[in-house]
Amino acid sequence: MRTISKICAALLPLFMMVSCSLDENNTSYATADTYYKSVDECRTGINGCYSPLRNIYSGHSFFCMTEVATDVMYYAYDGLYDAVCDISPVRAGIGKTVWQQGYIGVMRCNEMYECIERAFNDGYVTQAETDAMLAEVVVLRAFYYYVLTCTFGDVPRYFERVTEQNRAEIARLPRMSAFETRSIIIEELKSWLMPPTEEHPERKCALPLERTYDNDAHLVGAAVGLMLAGKMAMWNEQWEDAVEVYGVLEEIYGLGAGVDPQAALAQYPLSDVPFGKKYTRESIFEISNDAQDYGQQVTGMLAAWCMPSKTSSGETDDGRKSDIYNGISIPELGDNSRTYTAVRPTPYYYQDLMPRGSKDLRRAKYDESGEELDSSGNMAWSWWGYDVDDTSHENLKFKYFSTVNSAFTGTPWLGNKFWCFGMNNTRDSNNYKIFRYAGVLLNLAEAYYEMGDYVKSCQYLNAVRSRAGLDAIDSSDPKYLMSEIRNEYARELFGEYHRKFDLVRWGIWYEQTRACTASSPLLLYIKPYKKFYPIPAEQVTYSGGALNNDDYNE
């Protein structure tokens, strides 16, 4: 099973000397010129294209940038620079990792594209094998450019292999239009992944049109590429392109053309959304983690920032290790975990978007009576656990955490969507959900709204609302409809690495975050120009001044 966690161990010597900037000497290319002479050898090289993606998502800093420094979550202390926007070109925070790993990923993909083409020209692989591998590389490269443009805006763009002859020129590429970069990639993805038509007979459909996790390979495929094409089209306000590529995803995940969106989404339960549920059918892409008692462990650490505070990491008075989390003994969370000061939902989120008494099933795992719901578990006021003095663990009870109560006063914790059961120290073995089918439907609701088809927009929006137990809304008030589409993004995709990108795309990140955050440090540091991260100062230096941070300099 070739998951990203297993791929990390499969890197070739070709990639082991890769630079962190475009200006440094990368490696000798003798290995690349002589090695790739079979599908298996090409696959080994492609595997090396995956690991930088995981390096971006696996820590907590990218989560802080995309979710915490927004209107839906906050971190009350200034120690996490990305959570409070305390960033600059010389202190680029997660921006440094995104830049380095993003361009390492681009460079590896460009390298493998040329190597696979050469293997075909030399007769080592067939046309069908070549097309499938090239399409996978194109999707991975698109992923890196998607993350780079979302994070920095205009960035350098190149698609050729880095060599001794061109590396200096590539290292001195300036910022280039993010709009143009996305437009080029959208067309490239459509060419490789969409079925041919009378108007576009050149399209290859080089990868199977199937759900990502319907097989054991767990590689990026057509569904991931189509999702990326749609997301880039949304950024570019190319609504027709978004509808076109998402239409293919509807056929894949909705199980056929013309299926009612509500019925299509209903086949995927909300209880599959938590990060602890791996490779679920609704998922289009997950960043995988794997923790085993023996052998290699590839883990993140997000859960340690999202779980209720643990009473102690040592032993209790009766000699057993502590499994007490904010006043509740929770055996599922275990006694070997370590938690940090937690990220919390903002009052705007838990009072306005998901207030007490809301019918929204995504709100928490349990309702106010303790009944278990079909929920994604966005937040947690309570849990079924044991009294702290019940050392026998015999009397399971529905209990409210110490900092909240049955009147729902106090701030809830982030819910079990983000917890890691049985976590050892801070090693989080969950899979982080990045793209899901519900996100496709919300993008379609927005795209049809922008195209003026409010009835169809409501149809897709109400599909997501219906699964969550909310009443349908109609299209009589377009202004209200658009506000509910944006609110539904916050409710449904909570904590899935999109919120800042969406707010920036809508042009409201600064105003909305400033109005809704509960973080005093964020209020101190947030500025309108920080909607995009600065290019790290050393990269500007390496470029010989070709790159700039004019917004930050001003």
Side-chain angles (χ1 to χ4, degrees):
M1 183 182 298
R2 291 190 295 264
T3 63
I4 290 180
S5 62
K6 294 177 175 62
I7 283 167
C8 293
L11 307 186
L12 285 174
L14 166 65
F15 300 131
M16 294 181 65
M17 296 177 63
V18 70
S19 72
C20 290
S21 78
L22 294 176
D23 190 54
E24 297 174 4
N25 190 5
N26 295 313
T27 184
S28 167
Y29 291 92
T31 302
D33 289 337
T34 60
Y35 180 72
Y36 299 106
K37 297 182 179 180
S38 69
V39 171
D40 287 343
E41 290 178 357
C42 289
R43 271 247 56 93
T44 305
I46 296 171
N47 289 348
C49 298
Y50 279 80
S51 56
L53 192 60
R54 188 185 179 281
N55 292 340
I56 293 171
Y57 281 94
S58 61
H60 68 282
S61 295
F62 195 69
F63 184 83
C64 286
M65 178 185 78
T66 54
E67 295 290 332
V68 181
T70 72
D71 57 340
V72 296
M73 297 185 192
Y74 75 100
Y75 190 78
Y77 305 99
D78 58 5
L80 296 179
Y81 301 137
D82 299 287
V84 298
C85 286
D86 184 11
I87 55 173
S88 67
V90 297
R91 183 158 66 191
I94 187 61
K96 182 174 182 179
T97 298
V98 174
W99 183 275
Q100 291 178 345
Q101 296 300 316
Y103 277 110
I104 288 173
V106 167
M107 187 186 70
R108 292 181 180 181
C109 290
N110 292 346
E111 176 88 31
M112 284 312 305
Y113 194 102
E114 181 176 316
C115 290
I116 294 165
E117 282 190 321
R118 186 175 62 249
F120 169 72
N121 292 333
D122 292 343
Y124 295 118
V125 293
T126 67
Q127 182 71 67
E129 292 166 338
T130 299
D131 286 350
M133 290 189 291
L134 289 178
E136 185 179 345
V137 169
V138 165
V139 172
L140 281 166
R141 181 169 62 192
F143 213 140
Y144 289 114
Y145 275 121
Y146 169 75
V147 173
L148 286 164
T149 54
C150 287
T151 303
F152 300 102
D154 297 341
V155 295
R157 175 183 68 249
Y158 75 103
F159 297 97
E160 63 267 26
R161 171 188 176 188
V162 180
T163 67
E164 292 292 337
Q165 290 71 39
N166 68 10
R167 70 179 183 85
E169 178 184 356
I170 291 173
R172 285 160 177 76
L173 289 173
R175 286 182 180 265
M176 300 176 182
S177 165
F179 180 93
E180 292 180 6
T181 297
R182 290 190 290 259
S183 294
I184 292 168
I185 292 173
I186 290 167
E187 291 305 312
E188 183 179 42
L189 290 169
K190 288 165 67 175
S191 174
W192 280 102
L193 304 175
M194 298 280 284
T197 64
E198 185 175 331
E199 185 179 0
H200 297 284
E202 78 284 356
R203 291 179 176 173
K204 296 178 180 292
C205 198
L207 294 171
L209 297 178
E210 62 183 8
R211 290 181 296 202
T212 304
Y213 301 114
D214 275 351
N215 60 66
D216 289 336
H218 296 175
L219 302 173
V220 300
V224 177
L226 293 168
M227 187 72 188
L228 290 166
K231 296 291 285 185
M232 290 185 174
M234 300 296 290
W235 270 93
N236 279 11
E237 300 183 0
Q238 297 172 220
W239 313 117
E240 291 83 2
D241 285 309
V243 169
E244 181 185 13
V245 296
Y246 285 149
V248 181
L249 279 174
E250 278 195 279
E251 294 188 32
I252 297 172
Y253 280 80
L255 301 183
V259 175
D260 176 69
Q262 182 172 322
L265 188 61
Q267 66 182 308
Y268 305 115
L270 280 172
S271 55
D272 278 352
V273 171
F275 292 0
K277 299 290 185 72
K278 299 187 176 188
Y279 308 120
T280 56
R281 293 185 306 148
E282 188 195 347
S283 289
I284 296 174
F285 185 70
E286 303 177 2
I287 292 290
S288 63
N289 291 301
D290 187 23
Q292 301 176 0
D293 291 336
Y294 302 97
Q296 183 181 1
Q297 293 192 355
V298 180
T299 60
M301 58 182 299
L302 178 62
W305 299 91
C306 298
M307 287 159 53
S309 61
K310 191 176 181 184
T311 298
S312 172
S313 59
E315 294 185 347
T316 58
D317 293 339
D318 61 356
R320 61 186 176 88
K321 290 185 177 179
S322 173
D323 61 1
I324 300 170
Y325 298 82
N326 196 217
I328 306 177
S329 174
I330 305 178
E332 300 104 307
L333 292 181
D335 54 15
N336 289 317
S337 68
R338 178 184 177 188
T339 62
Y340 298 115
T341 301
V343 170
R344 309 294 284 272
T346 61
Y348 164 72
Y349 190 80
Y350 68 83
Q351 292 177 356
D352 295 347
L353 293 184
M354 289 188 167
R356 184 183 185 192
S358 169
K359 298 187 296 183
D360 198 319
L361 295 174
R362 296 164 296 195
R363 192 164 170 264
K365 183 173 181 178
Y366 302 107
D367 69 10
E368 295 177 27
S369 67
E371 181 180 355
E372 187 170 1
L373 305 173
D374 179 16
S375 172
S376 54
N378 290 13
M379 296 176 289
W381 285 265
S382 55
W383 199 257
W384 279 87
Y386 299 92
D387 289 330
V388 296
D389 56 355
D390 182 5
T391 59
S392 63
H393 279 184
E394 291 181 353
N395 299 303
L396 194 65
K397 295 181 178 180
F398 178 68
K399 296 176 60 65
Y400 286 88
F401 289 107
S402 296
T403 52
V404 298
N405 58 38
S406 58
F408 278 69
T409 59
T411 301
W413 302 96
L414 295 185
N416 60 291
K417 180 176 185 177
F418 309 100
W419 300 356
C420 181
F421 293 157
M423 185 169 69
N424 186 7
N425 203 324
T426 61
R427 292 192 285 274
D428 176 0
S429 59
N430 289 338
N431 280 12
Y432 305 150
K433 306 290 174 69
I434 310 300
F435 297 133
R436 292 188 291 114
Y437 184 52
V440 173
L441 300 186
L442 289 174
N443 283 170
L444 282 167
E446 182 183 349
Y448 277 115
Y449 176 92
E450 296 292 351
M451 294 166 66
D453 191 339
Y454 302 143
V455 172
K456 204 150 194 176
S457 176
C458 277
Q459 183 183 15
Y460 285 100
L461 175 63
N462 287 331
V464 179
R465 290 175 62 87
S466 174
R467 184 176 69 164
L470 299 180
D471 295 333
I473 63 175
D474 60 39
S475 59
S476 59
D477 185 347
K479 184 176 180 180
Y480 174 72
L481 173 58
M482 187 68 242
S483 69
E484 276 306 294
I485 290 172
R486 291 179 175 179
N487 289 341
E488 208 58 40
Y489 274 94
R491 298 182 186 110
E492 178 65 34
L493 304 180
F494 185 59
E496 296 182 31
Y497 300 88
H498 300 296
R499 188 58 178 174
K500 184 183 180 183
F501 295 159
D502 286 330
L503 293 174
V504 171
R505 181 168 62 82
W506 295 326
I508 62 173
W509 169 73
Y510 172 75
E511 295 79 6
Q512 178 73 4
T513 302
R514 186 170 181 82
C516 299
T517 186
S519 168
S520 296
L522 179 57
L523 288 173
L524 175 65
Y525 291 114
I526 190 171
K527 305 294 180 185
Y529 59 82
K530 293 183 180 181
K531 65 181 182 180
F532 291 121
Y533 263 52
I535 295 174
E538 63 266 27
Q539 300 298 333
V540 176
T541 301
Y542 291 152
S543 75
L547 296 172
N548 67 77
N549 286 303
D550 288 347
D551 288 345
Y552 281 74
N553 294 335
E554 292 174 6

